[in-house]
């Protein structure tokens, strides 16, 4: 890595922190706050530097993100930096030792909701866009910066709108700016989710007639699902290190004490792997449901309604954009481990949308992500900035 990039990163730090502070001071809790104020801060910053940008809206016309597009002067692939500027909720504000929207710096820590996830990364990425814009004529392809404000809802509306936008160049890969310097997520388990509805005759709980209620049938189905035989980690040479996982995450049915309900609903979450995919998950669930209906027949067949399905994904260390990010970190003497995550992330959505490769992570150290007293350590900010800047330049070099 050139000394010029490291020096520029150090010079940029004050401006990066200042913009991040302004973002933190605009509450943007997913599904709670209006996103226009926080995006307005970024839009003002971009407009002041003549950087091309536009808002993204979902199919209902709701504001879900902001897209910055820097086109290079030579043909090539487009690459994307992605950071969310919506946040988790504040939780119990009385448990915080400082206001969640304070946006100050104390003892080297940037404090407030979104400091770690991911308003500091958003500030880093738009500053890198400004750097790239200054030398765009010599670069191949282009750089997009996606700022999603529908990420913490779980809908990923900004990413979906970006991928559906006919005017946007389809990215060859995406780097997601989650915090933490030790690991880069290069893969994740997929998911298959369903709502299962169990039926039974309704009746009075005090009736002389014995009625097996829907709650009891649902409880038996939970037992069958929990005892289902799942395989271990794949042994197919893919390097995917995790096994599938099944969780019943919610159960709803009945009201009061005197009525035996006629239906009960379960929420089921199955995390999938290359060796146990969505079809395997559906087959396993159908087998448990058929066993329930044979053992404890109801007035109607148990209904399985799939809700969401994302595939697992994993990049090899030499695949882009992982290779560029890891190499850039290595050039600064930063040893970064690659990781396949148990939880799903935007990388799964990207994998489902045409196999777009993605990394998640490599950012500053942090404390309190999604919890109380969220803060991000600033000592490593110049290194993080320089690594992403170098990775982007390498990807846009046309080599």
């Amino acid at each position: 890595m050139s000394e010029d990039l490291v020096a520029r990163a150090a010079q940029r730090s004050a401006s990066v922190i200042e913009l991040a502070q302004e973002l933190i001071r605009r509450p943007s809790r997913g599904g709670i706050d209006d996103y226009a104020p926080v995006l307005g801060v970024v839009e003002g910053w971009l407009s002041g530097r003549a950087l091309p940008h536009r808002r993204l809206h979902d199919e209902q016309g709701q504001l879900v993100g902001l897209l910055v597009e820097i086109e290079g002067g030579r043909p090539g692939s487009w690459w994307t930096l992605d950071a969310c500027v919506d946040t988790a909720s504040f939780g119990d504000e009385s448990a915080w030792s400082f206001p969640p929207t304070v946006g100050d710096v104390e003892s080297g820590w940037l404090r407030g909701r979104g400091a770690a996830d991911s308003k500091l990364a958003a500030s880093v990425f738009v500053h890198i866009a400004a750097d790239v814009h200054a030398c765009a004529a010599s670069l191949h392809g282009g750089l997009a910066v996606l700022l999603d404000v529908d990420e913490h809802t779980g809908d990923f509306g900004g990413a979906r709108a970006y991928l559906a936008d006919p005017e946007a160049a389809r990215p060859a890969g995406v780097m997601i700016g989650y915090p933490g310097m030790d690991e880069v997520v290069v893969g994740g388990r997929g998911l298959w989710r369903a709502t299962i509805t169990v039926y039974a005759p309704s009746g009075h709980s005090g009736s002389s007639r014995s009625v097996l209620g829907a709650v009891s049938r649902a409880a038996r189905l939970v037992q069958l699902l929990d005892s289902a035989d799942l395989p271990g980690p794949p042994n197919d040479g893919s390097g995917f290190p995790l096994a599938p996982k099944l969780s019943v995450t919610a159960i709803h049915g009945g009201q009061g004490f005197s009525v035996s309900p006629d239906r009960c609903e379960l929420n089921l979450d199955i995390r999938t792997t290359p060796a146990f995919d969505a079809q395997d998950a559906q087959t396993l669930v159908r087998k448990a449901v058929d066993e329930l209906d044979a053992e404890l027949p109801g007035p109607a067949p148990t209904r399985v309604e799939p809700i969401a399905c994302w595939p697992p994904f994993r990049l090899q260390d030499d695949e882009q954009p992982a290779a560029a990010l890891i190499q850039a970190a290595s050039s600064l003497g930063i040893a970064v481990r690659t990781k396949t995550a148990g939880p799903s992330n935007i990388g799964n959505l990207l994998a489902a949308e045409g196999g777009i490769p993605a990394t998640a992570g490599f950012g500053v150290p942090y404390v309190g992500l999604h919890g109380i007293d969220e803060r991000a350590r600033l000592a490593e900010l110049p290194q993080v900035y320089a690594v992403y800047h170098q990775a982007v330049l390498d990807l846009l070099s046309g080599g």
Side-chain angles (χ1 to χ4, degrees):
M1 181 177 294
S2 73
E3 294 181 0
D4 289 345
L5 282 185
V6 177
R8 178 182 288 274
Q11 294 169 358
R12 289 289 208 188
S13 291
S15 178
V16 170
I17 295 167
E18 181 180 358
L19 177 58
Q21 289 178 290
E22 291 302 310
L23 297 177
I24 293 169
R25 289 168 184 155
R26 272 69 172 184
S28 54
R29 293 164 292 178
I32 298 175
D33 296 310
D34 180 7
Y35 304 132
V38 71
L39 288 184
V41 170
V42 186
E43 289 173 315
W45 191 92
L46 294 167
S47 296
R49 290 153 182 82
L51 297 178
H53 61 279
R54 54 194 171 90
R55 291 187 172 191
L56 297 172
H57 298 84
D58 63 16
E59 293 179 350
Q60 288 73 45
Q62 297 299 310
L63 178 62
V64 291
L66 188 70
L67 183 65
V68 184
E69 295 170 302
I70 310 298
E71 185 173 5
R74 303 176 182 179
S77 299
W78 278 72
W79 303 88
T80 300
L81 298 173
D82 170 43
C84 60
V85 289
D86 69 330
T87 72
S89 64
F90 297 153
D92 181 4
E93 294 186 50
S94 67
W96 288 63
S97 62
F98 49 83
T101 57
V102 65
D104 66 356
V105 176
E106 176 69 28
S107 301
W109 292 82
L110 175 65
R111 306 194 303 174
R113 177 62 82 222
D117 183 17
S118 294
K119 292 181 176 181
L120 184 59
S123 182
V124 167
F125 288 171
V126 296
H127 277 78
I128 290 175
D131 291 334
V132 170
H133 189 252
C135 62
S138 65
L139 300 176
H140 294 256
L143 174 69
V145 176
L146 171 64
L147 304 180
D148 196 332
V149 290
D150 194 30
E151 197 260 14
H152 282 83
T153 62
D155 293 333
F156 303 115
R160 294 181 188 276
Y162 168 45
L163 295 173
D165 190 336
E167 298 181 9
R170 192 168 185 84
V174 177
M175 291 181 283
I176 304 164
Y178 293 147
M181 290 191 71
D182 297 331
E183 298 174 329
V184 171
V185 173
V186 296
R189 286 188 294 205
L191 62 81
W192 185 84
R193 290 174 175 164
T195 298
I196 304 177
T197 305
V198 176
Y199 300 95
S202 62
H204 195 291
S205 61
S207 172
S208 59
R209 182 171 64 94
S210 178
V211 174
L212 184 67
V215 172
S216 297
R217 293 191 75 232
R220 176 55 181 153
L221 179 58
V222 171
Q223 290 179 323
L224 293 170
L225 291 169
D226 283 346
S227 62
D229 187 21
L230 294 172
N235 188 23
D236 56 4
S238 66
F240 201 92
L242 301 177
K245 183 180 181 183
L246 181 153
S247 303
V248 177
T249 58
I251 183 167
H252 308 280
Q255 184 175 359
F257 292 91
S258 61
V259 177
S260 179
D262 61 1
R263 59 187 291 161
C264 188
E265 291 187 346
L266 309 176
N267 288 354
L268 181 64
D269 179 284
I270 299 180
R271 299 304 167 118
T272 60
T273 70
F276 186 85
D277 61 14
Q279 184 60 51
D280 296 318
Q282 191 160 359
T283 298
L284 180 148
V285 172
R286 176 51 58 190
K287 179 176 181 293
V289 164
D290 289 347
E291 186 174 345
L292 171 73
D293 287 347
E295 178 185 330
L296 301 173
T302 300
R303 182 165 60 91
V304 179
E305 182 180 2
I307 300 298
C309 179
W310 285 358
F313 77 101
R314 190 181 192 280
L315 279 66
Q316 300 302 316
D317 292 0
D318 59 353
E319 290 184 75
Q320 299 292 16
L325 189 59
I326 294 168
Q327 178 57 41
S330 178
S331 69
L332 273 184
I334 303 172
V336 179
R337 299 187 302 272
T338 56
K339 175 183 178 181
T340 300
S344 304
N345 58 49
I346 295 179
N348 298 92
L349 172 63
L350 294 168
E353 295 287 340
I356 299 171
T359 64
F362 192 77
V364 298
Y366 64 94
V367 174
L369 186 146
H370 290 191
I372 64 169
D373 288 356
E374 181 178 345
R375 54 201 187 274
R377 197 165 72 193
L378 298 173
E380 292 83 359
L381 177 59
Q383 294 172 288
V384 170
Y385 189 107
V387 165
Y388 274 108
H389 192 184
Q390 182 66 64
V392 166
L393 292 179
D394 289 344
L395 291 168
L396 298 177
S397 68

